[in-house]
């Protein structure tokens, strides 16, 4: 596992389903593909952390000096979630702990994950990014082999993608990072609408996107949102179609990042 693949889930928009996709892909990789997964939450809104640890346990964990994203400076063991994968939790007050943006600090997460890679403990590391192009998003991109873009299939969300590509290109040039696109997943999709069909037509026809569009979207389902803070995952839902969708997305994800 010395070739642990690091994948950032990025989009400049919030509310596009990044976190939902990140935690559920981590879950499917663990349970359906026997992969050893580390999920890293670098979003100050810490939703991935909330999905994985209940409030009381989180407070206890922090009180006992548990590892968080602040600890990218010295290796400590990640949090063991009840879902069989590990987590580097975020912090609500991460904003106050904003790292000074210079190349030294922005490489800290990369150095940390290089250390983690050498432990041989994980096959895949997923980084759930904040929607702001902050020092944390930059740190995540520098540390990544790939980035995956979750996007809602509507015109406003779609215009943001070119901006995102611009930011990634700029980070690649300025920091010499070489992360590659691991695809574009359409999320919160209302698949029977014209807006959705137009989005699919657009992406499958656009030269810069057509090779990246996942063949299966994440459909919009209230069941996904409902149990999120109570620790409910798509694998637990008795919804065959959602399970099939996520199986397909996870397989395509693996093909793209591991060539499987
Ligand atoms: P982001 O990380 O991009 O901000 P989230 O994953 O937190 O997005 O999702 C934003 C909101 O949409 C959350 O309330 C979440 O529960 C809900 N949501 C995410 N995916 C779906 C889906 N496929 N169907 C319905 N609601 C969803
Ligand atoms: Mg999020």
């Amino acid at each position: 596992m010395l070739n642990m693949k690091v994948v950032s889930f990025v989009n400049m928009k919030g509310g596009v389903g990044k976190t939902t996709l990140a935690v559920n892909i981590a879950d499917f990789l663990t349970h359906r593909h026997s992969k050893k997964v580390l999920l890293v939450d670098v979003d100050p809104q810490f939703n991935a952390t909330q999905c994985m640890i209940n409030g009381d346990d989180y407070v206890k964990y922090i009180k006992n000096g548990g590892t968080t994203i602040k600890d990218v400076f010295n290796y400590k063991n990640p949090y063991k979630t009840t879902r069989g994968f590990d987590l580097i939790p975020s912090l609500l007050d991460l904003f106050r702990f904003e790292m000074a943006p210079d190349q030294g600090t922005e490489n800290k997460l990369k150095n940390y994950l290089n250390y983690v890679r050498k432990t041989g403990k994980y096959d895949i590391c997923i980084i759930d990014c904040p929607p702001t192009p902050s020092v944390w998003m930059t740190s995540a991109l520098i540390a990544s082999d790939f980035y995956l873009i979750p996007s809602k299939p509507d015109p406003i969300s779609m215009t943001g993608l070119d901006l995102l590509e611009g930011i990634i290109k700029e980070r690649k040039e300025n920091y010499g990072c070489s992360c590659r696109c691991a695809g574009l997943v359409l999320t919160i999709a209302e698949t029977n609408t014209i807006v959705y069909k137009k989005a699919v037509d657009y992406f499958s026809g656009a030269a810069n996107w057509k090779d990246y569009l996942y063949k299966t979207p994440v459909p919009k389902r209230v069941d996904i949102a409902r149990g999120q803070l109570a620790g409910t995952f798509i694998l637990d839902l008795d919804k065959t179609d959602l399970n099939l969708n996520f199986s397909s997305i996870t397989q395509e994800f693996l093909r793209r990042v591991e060539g499987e």
Side-chain angles (χ1 to χ4, degrees):
M1 297 181 226
L2 296 177
N3 61 348
M4 173 180 90
K5 296 292 193 305
V6 181
V7 189
S8 279
F9 284 36
V10 283
N11 193 311
M12 307 265 290
K13 279 184 73 67
V16 298
K18 286 185 294 300
T19 299
T20 304
L21 192 66
V23 297
N24 283 289
I25 285 191
D27 202 47
F28 266 71
L29 286 169
T30 304
H31 296 287
R32 289 281 179 81
H33 296 272
S34 307
K35 295 290 179 189
K36 298 278 177 234
V37 180
L38 175 66
L39 178 65
V40 180
D41 186 0
V42 298
D43 188 348
Q45 290 186 34
F46 93 142
N47 297 142
T49 301
Q50 287 177 300
C51 289
M52 302 312 308
I53 317 180
N54 77 46
D56 291 347
D57 288 348
Y58 180 76
V59 170
K60 270 188 227 144
Y61 179 75
I62 297 296
K63 267 200 186 138
N64 293 331
T67 308
T68 67
I69 192 64
K70 268 198 330 197
D71 300 305
V72 290
F73 303 100
N74 46 38
Y75 184 74
K76 291 204 258 168
N77 281 327
Y79 179 83
K80 300 254 164 251
T81 73
T82 54
R83 301 294 298 191
F85 58 89
D86 291 353
L87 171 76
I88 309 267
S90 184
L91 283 173
L92 251 188
D93 64 352
L94 195 59
F95 279 125
R96 272 186 261 144
F97 185 75
E98 196 65 82
M99 294 192 292
D102 71 60
Q103 294 204 8
T105 42
E106 283 165 342
N107 278 313
K108 287 272 186 330
L109 181 59
K110 180 192 176 111
N111 295 342
Y112 179 84
L113 291 179
N114 278 342
Y115 181 87
V116 170
R117 179 179 278 124
K118 285 195 198 118
T119 67
K121 279 196 198 161
Y122 303 102
D123 302 299
I124 291 177
C125 168
I126 291 175
I127 308 179
D128 187 27
C129 290
T132 42
S134 58
V135 64
W136 293 105
M137 186 194 276
T138 304
S139 303
L141 288 171
I142 295 172
S144 292
D145 302 297
F146 292 97
Y147 59 94
L148 179 132
I149 307 173
S151 176
K152 279 198 203 168
D154 62 58
I156 287 187
S157 303
M158 287 155 63
T159 56
L161 295 187
D162 290 330
L163 188 63
L164 174 66
E165 284 283 279
I167 295 231
I168 293 170
K169 187 161 172 277
E170 185 268 327
R171 297 297 190 277
K172 280 184 171 178
E173 282 162 9
N174 286 350
Y175 293 90
C177 68
S178 54
C179 57
R180 290 177 286 145
C181 185
L184 169 72
V185 179
L186 296 180
T187 52
I188 320 184
E190 295 180 86
T191 51
N192 54 355
T193 62
I194 291 173
V195 168
Y196 172 74
K197 285 173 188 130
K198 278 195 171 160
V200 172
D201 281 350
Y202 169 75
F203 288 121
S204 31
N208 54 336
W209 293 115
K210 66 178 169 34
D211 295 335
Y212 295 104
L213 181 65
Y214 276 53
K215 66 176 190 296
T216 313
V218 182
K220 180 174 180 177
R221 283 299 153 74
V222 68
D223 313 72
I224 295 180
R226 195 184 292 131
Q228 232 163 14
L229 289 184
T232 306
F233 288 77
I234 288 171
L235 257 182
D236 303 329
L237 297 175
D238 188 20
K239 302 279 172 208
T240 319
D241 58 334
L242 274 181
N243 262 281
L244 286 175
N245 276 49
F246 250 79
S247 294
S248 161
I249 290 169
T250 310
Q251 279 166 27
E252 185 163 352
F253 175 85
L254 272 179
R255 245 192 343 268
R256 286 176 182 270
V257 307
E258 287 194 337
E260 282 184 9

